[in-house]
Amino acid sequence: MLKTGAVALVLSAAVVGAGLYASQTTVAAQAAAPAQVTFTKDVAPILQKSCQTCHRPGMMAPMSLVSYQDVRPWARSIKARVSNREMPPWFIDRHVGIQKFKNDPSLSDKEIATIVSWVDAGAPQGDPKDMPKPVDFGSLDSWHIKPDLVVKMPKPYRLKAHGADDFVDVTIDPGFTKDFFVSAIETRPINMGGYKVIHHATTNLIEDEDDPTGAFLNEYAIGKFADVFPPESGRLIKAGSKLNFNLHLTPDGEEKDVDVQIAFTVLPKEPKYVAFTQHMGDINDLDIPAGAVVRNDGYFRLPRPALISAFQPHMHMRGKAQCMEAIYPDIRADSARPGPARTEMLSCVSNFNFDWSVTYPYADEVAPLLPAGTIIHIISWHDNSAANKHNPNPDTWLGNGPTSIDEMNFAWVSLTYLDQSEFERKVRERQDLQQRTTQQQQQ
């Protein structure tokens, strides 16, 4: 992982390095390309693994990538998008920080090389007998978790065909009669029309009538599926709590009924740790001049030891890159010469894409374990210049605001707080695992 002094390097890599990295990836892919590939034998398995979840009939992607006939017209476009690591949508910088995640759909250099070689050879179909068995994704309304409880909006919201972004709040009482814990939560539209017009659908848990906004519970956005909490942890849902659905909708020229639901996987008993997700690094006074690339730094201090389980950057159309760094507490604070703070760059998204709200869940064995007093440093860059192809108007000053053409600056961070003794135990277990792994590698 990147240590002290990494911020300057990350700035360069995040703001201007994405294109360089893409070209390096293409060169590596070409160098590693196999001698001969076909769609049925080599390419179809890659698409099944990393693309067809969205690229199949009825889903939100603009084309299906299931059959050879579906894929062939898009071959050159697919080559370009995978070579530049624009697809599948997974924008973690592969040269910075933690690299092991759950449910990572990204392609390896070898898989990219296979697709490049196939396209350069004229995209041959190959022997139909080599075609892998179709993947059974279930019905279009299948969940990514196994829900024990589903709560729906009382009725659909009718979205107008044209106009500005629409913001809708729907609060319901699901009738929770006792406290319970959940190991996973997923929010998503009920009908396909919602997938095309929902910027986000956020659910909040209202536990107190004096707090009508409540606490963040879960979010649906394109590219985001379920929140699955780490082992031995779960989210508390209190008896009597209400649910608020906050919908940010973008009209697309056609009236639509938008309906949203939330599902829970219920734990049979109280877990060891309580998990939750919250904003970190918020900057509410953004100042982004026309034509400028601007860096902002936000901070959040951990009051107790914590396990960080997931990271999701949140910006809008001018968002360029975001990194999450840990600034460790100075254990030498009582010394006359305490020295510089120790830092560790945990993760960077160096090519942020507003069209995809991707959450990056760390693998359990590498999820950051951070002591009390650690400062979570969220470093963000916004590109308000004409060089940003997503920028609708590079001649306009920007500040903070809720709509897509305004800007935001924070990260969603999922975590569980730990007792000091539990933190120390987990650190020892992690160190023992790393030592065993090193010994095995040296044998």
Side-chain angles (χ1 to χ4, degrees), residues 18-30:
L20 173 61
Y21 176 61
S23 64
Q24 290 173 338
T25 300
T26 303
V27 171
Q30 292 171 344

Side-chain angles (χ1 to χ4, degrees), residues 167-233:
F167 296 86
V168 182
D169 278 288
V170 179
T171 299
I172 63 173
D173 184 352
F176 298 144
T177 58
K178 62 180 181 179
D179 294 357
F180 61 97
F181 288 84
V182 297
S183 62
I185 309 175
E186 183 177 358
T187 304
R188 66 171 180 79
I190 292 176
N191 50 15
M192 290 308 301
Y195 283 105
K196 298 181 182 297
V197 296
I198 293 178
H199 168 267
H200 74 246
T202 301
T203 49
N204 281 10
L205 193 65
I206 301 173
E207 300 174 340
D208 187 344
E209 294 293 343
D210 294 331
D211 180 17
T213 301
F216 174 79
L217 184 61
N218 185 247
E219 178 194 41
Y220 163 78
I222 295 178
K224 182 170 183 177
F225 299 124
D227 284 333
V228 180
F229 302 117
E232 301 183 292
S233 68

Side-chain angles (χ1 to χ4, degrees), residues 376-392:
I376 301 298
H377 180 197
I378 303 298
I379 313 162
S380 306
W381 292 266
H382 292 85
D383 184 355
N384 196 20
S385 73
N388 178 2
K389 65 181 181 180
H390 302 292
N391 191 350

Side-chain angles (χ1 to χ4, degrees), residues 104-411:
D104 179 355
S106 62
L107 303 185
S108 67
D109 289 344
K110 182 178 179 180
E111 289 171 327
I112 294 175
T114 297
I115 292 174
V116 169
S117 179
W118 173 68
V119 175
D120 289 347
Q125 179 176 6
D127 188 341
K129 295 180 181 178
D130 292 333
M131 190 70 178
K133 182 180 178 181
V135 177
D136 182 8
F137 291 100
S139 63
L140 292 178
D141 59 355
S142 295
W143 296 92
H144 297 89
I145 62 175
K146 295 181 179 179
D148 299 307
L149 173 66
V150 177
V151 179
K152 303 178 181 180
M153 288 171 45
K155 63 179 181 179
Y157 176 77
R158 187 70 171 176
L159 178 66
K160 56 188 180 297
H162 303 281
D165 289 12
D166 201 353
F167 296 86
V168 182
D169 278 288
V170 179
T171 299
I172 63 173
D173 184 352
F176 298 144
T177 58
K178 62 180 181 179
D179 294 357
F180 61 97
F181 288 84
V182 297
S183 62
I185 309 175
E186 183 177 358
T187 304
R188 66 171 180 79
I190 292 176
N191 50 15
M192 290 308 301
Y195 283 105
K196 298 181 182 297
V197 296
I198 293 178
H199 168 267
H200 74 246
T202 301
T203 49
N204 281 10
L205 193 65
I206 301 173
E207 300 174 340
D208 187 344
E209 294 293 343
D210 294 331
D211 180 17
T213 301
F216 174 79
L217 184 61
N218 185 247
E219 178 194 41
Y220 163 78
I222 295 178
K224 182 170 183 177
F225 299 124
D227 284 333
V228 180
F229 302 117
E232 301 183 292
S233 68
R235 182 68 189 268
L236 171 63
I237 310 294
K238 291 184 178 181
S241 296
K242 296 180 180 179
L243 291 175
N244 173 262
F245 291 88
N246 174 258
L247 312 182
H248 176 179
L249 309 174
T250 304
D252 70 345
E254 180 182 348
E255 284 192 357
K256 286 186 171 65
D257 285 331
V258 180
D259 211 350
V260 176
Q261 57 190 337
I262 183 171
F264 304 91
T265 301
V266 180
L267 287 168
K269 61 180 181 179
E270 181 175 342
K272 202 168 188 179
Y273 311 108
V274 177
F276 58 98
T277 303
Q278 69 175 81
H279 285 201
M280 290 190 185
D282 297 66
I283 302 292
N284 295 322
D285 56 349
L286 290 174
D287 182 1
I288 308 174
V293 177
V294 175
R295 168 176 165 164
N296 282 285
D297 297 78
Y299 303 89
F300 179 89
R301 182 182 179 276
L302 295 175
R304 289 182 286 159
L307 173 73
I308 306 295
S309 58
F311 164 60
Q312 180 196 334
H314 188 90
M315 297 178 284
H316 287 176
M317 291 180 178
R318 278 77 165 191
K320 177 66 176 177
Q322 188 176 97
C323 298
M324 180 169 67
E325 179 185 46
I327 304 174
Y328 289 97
D330 193 344
I331 60 174
R332 302 158 299 181
D334 294 334
S335 170
R337 296 181 179 179
R342 184 170 74 90
T343 65
E344 183 174 12
M345 195 60 68
L346 302 176
S347 291
C348 282
V349 167
S350 58
N351 190 22
F352 178 81
N353 188 328
F354 173 65
D355 292 333
W356 295 95
S357 296
V358 183
T359 297
Y360 302 95
Y362 298 111
D364 292 331
E365 67 271 21
V366 296
L369 275 169
L370 304 176
T374 300
I375 295 173
I376 301 298
H377 180 197
I378 303 298
I379 313 162
S380 306
W381 292 266
H382 292 85
D383 184 355
N384 196 20
S385 73
N388 178 2
K389 65 181 181 180
H390 302 292
N391 191 350
N393 189 349
D395 298 323
T396 300
W397 174 91
L398 284 174
N400 191 75
T403 69
S404 300
I405 58 173
D406 297 313
E407 267 307 331
M408 285 189 173
N409 187 114
F410 65 85

